[in-house]
Amino acid sequence: MRLATTTGLAVSALLRSKLRSLLTTLGVVIGVAAVIIMQSMGAGATAMVTGELSGMGSNMLMLMPGATQGMGGASLGAPLFTRDDLAAIGRECPAVRAASVMNVRSVRVVTGDENRSTNLYGVSPSYLEIRQWLTVMGRGLTEEDERQGAKVCVIGETNRIELFGSVDPIGAEIRVHDLACTVVGVLEPKGASTFGQDQDDLVLMPSTTYGRRIMGDDRIGVMMLSAVAEDRIDEAKAQVQSLMRQRRRVLEGEDDDFTVRDMRELIAIMGTITGVLTSLLAGVAAISLVVGGIGIMNIMLVSVTERTREIGIRLAVGARARDILAQFLVEAVVLSLAGGMLGLLLGAVGSYAASRVLDLPFSLPPMAAALAVGVSVVVGVLFGVFPARKAAHLRPIVALRFE
Amino acid sequence: MQAPREPLLSLRRITKVFGEGDATVQALRGVDLDVYPGEFVAIMGASGSGKSTAMNILGCLDAPTEGQYLVEGIPVESLPGDVLAALRNDRLGFVFQGFNLLPRTSALDNVELPLVYADVSASERRVRARRALAEVGLAGRERAHPNQLSGGQQQRVAIARALVNAPEVLLADEPTGNLDTRTSAEIMALLVALNRDRGITIVMVTHDTDIAAYAGRLVTFRDGLIVSDQPRAAP
Ligand SMILES: Nc1ncnc2c1ncn2[C@@H]1O[C@H](COP(=O)(O)OP(=O)(O)OP(=O)(O)O)[C@@H](O)[C@H]1O
Ligand SMILES: [Mg+2]
C-alpha cells in the first residue's frame, strides 16, 4: 500500500475521533512547549547576564583573599589585605589604573521615622569610576572624604525612595549603624539584577569611615581594580598576582592564597551557572516529553485493542501485516508530529509572553525547536511500533472475534 | 456432472478444536470437501454444527487444528503471510454472518477497502465501489454509515465488498440471513448470475431450504462432520 494512502487512512482515522486524538497528543504538546519555553528563557537569561556583566565595566578586576576554588569565589580563612597592599598596587602595577576597597556588610539605616536594612559598602573614591557608576544627585565620594574619614555617604535609589520619598536627600542626615552621616549623593538607578537582587539597595561610604567607625578594623576584604585598557587585563592581572605573592610571602611552588578574577571569567562562570540551570529545566521538560510519549503509547495500545475488530476486517479483506503496521505507525507519527508542531507554536508564544513579563530578551533557539519536534516524532515511532506490531500479527478470525 | 477436474479448494481430514483442557469444543471432526471451479455449493446444518468454522478455514481466516487445506493443490499452511493476504484480497471474497463492516465509515469506503490493499488508484476505487454498490441495489446510499443502514442493507454492503475485487471464489456465511423474502430472492438472483455468467465459484451457508435450492450441490453438516453431499439439478 502506498504511503499517501496510508497517511490518508491515518489522518481520517484520527479525525474520526478528534477529542481523543487531541487528548492523546496533549502530553507531547505540553512536553515540547515546556522544552521550548525553558530553552528560550535559559537563552534569554544567559544573554541578559552576559550583557549585564559586560555593562559592569569589562576592564574590571576583583581581588579576593583565599585560593581560587572551582566555579565560585575563594576559600575562607586566608588573611585579608591591608592599606599597604592597596597603596603598593597603586605604586607598583602600571597596568592597573585604579584600585578601590570594597568591604560590604548589611546594616540598619534610620532617618526620622524610617528604618530599614540595607547593604553598606566601604569604598575608595575611585570605586564609582571603576564600576562606571554615576550619581544623579549631589556628588560621589572624594579623596578628601577618604582622608578624613568623613561621616558622609552616597545612597542608592531604593534607599532614597524608602527613606526620603519626595524629600530632597542631599544634605540630610541618616544614621548608619548608629553613625550619623550626611547624604552627599544619590546613585543612578540600575534596577534588579538577573538573579533578582536589587542593585539600588545600597549605601556607599568612605572605606576609612567604614573601617574605623563601623567595623573597628581597617583591613580590606575585597579590592576592585580597573586595568588601564581592556587589552591589558592579563598584564594587570599578572602584575597584581606577582606583587601579592611577594607581599603575602607565598613561597615558590605554593598556590596563591588570594584570587584575581576578571569580568570575562565572571561572565564565563555566570554562563555556566545559567547553562546548568537551563539544562536542569530542560531536563525536567524532557521528562514531561517522555511522559507525553508514554501517553501516546498508552492510547495507541488502547486504540489497538479497541480497534481489534477493525484490524480483523482489514486482514480479512487482504491487508498484509505490514499494512496494518504501517497504518498504526503512521497514525502514531502523525499524532506526535502534530503534537510537536502544536507544542512548538505554543512554546514560541509562551516564551515570547514570558520574555515580556520577565523582561528578558526573547530568543528561540532553533536547535531546541528542531530537537523537541524531532524527539516527539521519535517518541511517536518508538511508542507506536510496539502496539502496531502487536496488532499486525493477529490471526484474522482471532481479531474479528475479539470482544 | 462434468468431467472431473482439479478441485479449486479442498479440505482434507480437517479437525478444529477450540479451547483448552476441560473446556474444549470439537467444532470439526474430520471434514473432507472438494470444491471445483464454477460450482455453487450450499451448506446446511443445525446451529453449532461447524458450518462457520469450516467457512473460516476455507476463507484463510483461521487455521485447522489438524488436516490440510489446499487451494489449487497448494497447502495453505505452507504459504507466507503476504501470499495469504493476497489470496484473501483478490481471489477469495468473504461475506460474514455478522457483516463485519467498519463502523463510522461510509458504505463506499467499506466497499473500497479490499481495493485499498490491492493498490488500486483512488479514482478507480471510487468507480468500482460505486458499481458494486449499484449491483446490490444500494445506489444512492454510498455516503451512509453502517449505523444508518438496515440489517439487510448492511448485508448488501458486505456482499458488495466481497465482490468488488472480482474474486474467483465467493464464500458467503448466511448472506440472506437478515433479508426479507423479496430481497433474498434479489440477492440470490445476483449470486446465481455471478456464478453462471462470470463463472465465480460460490460456497454459501444457509438455513433456508428455498435458498439452498438455488445451488447446484448441497452439503449437510452435523456435529462437525459432513453427513450428506448431493448434487442438485441447477435451477
Ligand atoms: N472461537 C471459538 N471458541 C470456542 N468455541 C467456538 C469458537 N467458534 C466456534 N465455536 C464452537 O464451535 C462449534 C461450531 O461453531 P460454528 O460457528 O462453526 O457453528 P455454525 O454451524 O456456524 O452455527 P450457526 O448456524 O449458529 O452459525 C460451536 O459449538 C461453537 O460454540
Ligand atoms: Mg455460523
Side-chain angles (χ1 to χ4, degrees), chain A residues 147-226:
Chain A
R147 220 175 18 252
Q148 293 177 348
K151 293 185 270 181
V152 295
C153 63
V154 171
I155 60 177
E157 179 71 6
T158 304
N159 279 317
R160 183 190 70 77
I161 293 168
E162 295 291 328
L163 300 174
F164 295 100
S166 54
V167 179
D168 180 6
I170 304 299
E173 195 158 277
I174 59 175
R175 296 190 74 78
V176 180
H177 198 71
D178 286 340
L179 176 72
C181 284
T182 309
V183 176
V184 296
V186 175
L187 292 170
E188 157 185 64
K190 287 170 292 292
S193 78
T194 317
F195 299 108
Q197 192 187 1
D198 180 358
Q199 301 178 92
D200 300 320
D201 188 5
L202 51 74
V203 172
L204 304 183
M205 69 165 45
S207 68
T208 46
T209 320
Y210 179 97
R212 291 169 205 155
R213 301 193 183 257
I214 305 284
M215 300 300 287
D217 178 352
D218 209 24
R219 287 176 304 165
I220 301 169
V222 175
M223 281 190 225
M224 297 298 280
L225 319 171
S226 63

Side-chain angles (χ1 to χ4, degrees), chain A residues 116-174:
Chain A
R116 69 190 302 275
S117 164
T118 189
N119 290 316
L120 175 65
Y121 284 69
V123 297
S124 314
S126 59
Y127 187 71
L128 291 191
E129 179 208 316
I130 295 171
R131 298 301 303 258
Q132 300 179 347
W133 287 353
L134 299 171
T135 53
V136 286
M137 285 185 204
R139 60 174 178 86
L141 300 171
T142 61
E143 292 293 345
E144 182 85 6
D145 296 332
E146 180 78 358
R147 220 175 18 252
Q148 293 177 348
K151 293 185 270 181
V152 295
C153 63
V154 171
I155 60 177
E157 179 71 6
T158 304
N159 279 317
R160 183 190 70 77
I161 293 168
E162 295 291 328
L163 300 174
F164 295 100
S166 54
V167 179
D168 180 6
I170 304 299
E173 195 158 277
I174 59 175

Side-chain angles (χ1 to χ4, degrees), chain A residues 401, chain B residues 46-53 55-56 97 173-174 205 207:
Chain A
R401 283 185 175 270
Chain B
S47 182
S49 56
K51 305 181 297 292
S52 293
T53 308
M55 289 294 274
N56 291 337
Q97 196 169 358
D173 198 348
E174 302 197 29
V205 175
H207 281 290

Side-chain angles (χ1 to χ4, degrees), chain A residues 1-2 5 9 16-17 309-310 313-320 322-324 327 395-397 400-401, chain B residues 16 56 61-63 82 85 88-89 96 100-102 104-105 113-114 116-117 119-121 125 161:
Chain A
M1 195 166 43
R2 287 170 217 129
T5 320
L9 263 179
R16 217 171 289 142
S17 33
R309 261 172 55 85
E310 172 190 332
I313 293 169
R314 291 180 181 279
L315 289 172
V317 301
R320 290 162 300 187
R322 81 175 99 109
D323 294 327
I324 302 291
Q327 180 190 343
R395 186 126 33 95
I397 201 70
L400 278 172
R401 283 185 175 270
Chain B
K16 181 70 186 179
N56 291 337
L61 302 173
D62 206 356
D82 284 2
R88 285 195 287 259
N89 183 254
F96 295 93
N100 277 327
L101 299 175
L102 289 181
R104 286 173 294 162
T105 305
L113 205 57
V116 167
Y117 295 110
D119 264 342
V120 175
S121 75
R125 289 206 302 261
R161 183 179 64 189

Side-chain angles (χ1 to χ4, degrees), chain B residues 210-231:
Chain B
D210 292 342
I211 296 296
Y214 287 94
R217 178 178 165 195
L218 178 63
V219 174
T220 311
F221 274 66
R222 189 188 298 149
D223 292 337
L225 284 171
I226 292 178
V227 291
S228 95
D229 185 347
Q230 38 189 239

Side-chain angles (χ1 to χ4, degrees), chain A residues 94-107:
Chain A
V96 174
R97 191 217 309 273
S100 166
V101 179
M102 188 179 84
N103 286 333
V104 191
R105 61 162 294 169
S106 87
V107 291

Side-chain angles (χ1 to χ4, degrees), chain B residues 139-217:
Chain B
R141 300 293 283 150
E142 288 91 349
R143 292 282 147 221
H145 288 195
N147 61 352
Q148 299 163 333
L149 293 171
S150 73
Q153 287 171 325
Q154 291 182 49
Q155 186 105 32
R156 283 188 273 170
V157 175
I159 294 172
R161 183 179 64 189
L163 292 177
V164 74
N165 213 8
E168 288 163 56
V169 182
L170 181 67
L171 301 164
D173 198 348
E174 302 197 29
T176 57
N178 295 282
L179 305 183
D180 59 58
T181 325
R182 204 171 63 88
T183 328
S184 297
E186 277 170 30
I187 292 294
M188 288 319 296
L190 177 68
L191 295 188
V192 168
L194 286 169
N195 176 245
R196 192 183 51 216
D197 304 340
R198 292 203 211 152
I200 295 181
T201 308
I202 298 181
V203 181
M204 173 188 74
V205 175
T206 182
H207 281 290
D208 188 333
T209 334
D210 292 342
I211 296 296
Y214 287 94
R217 178 178 165 195

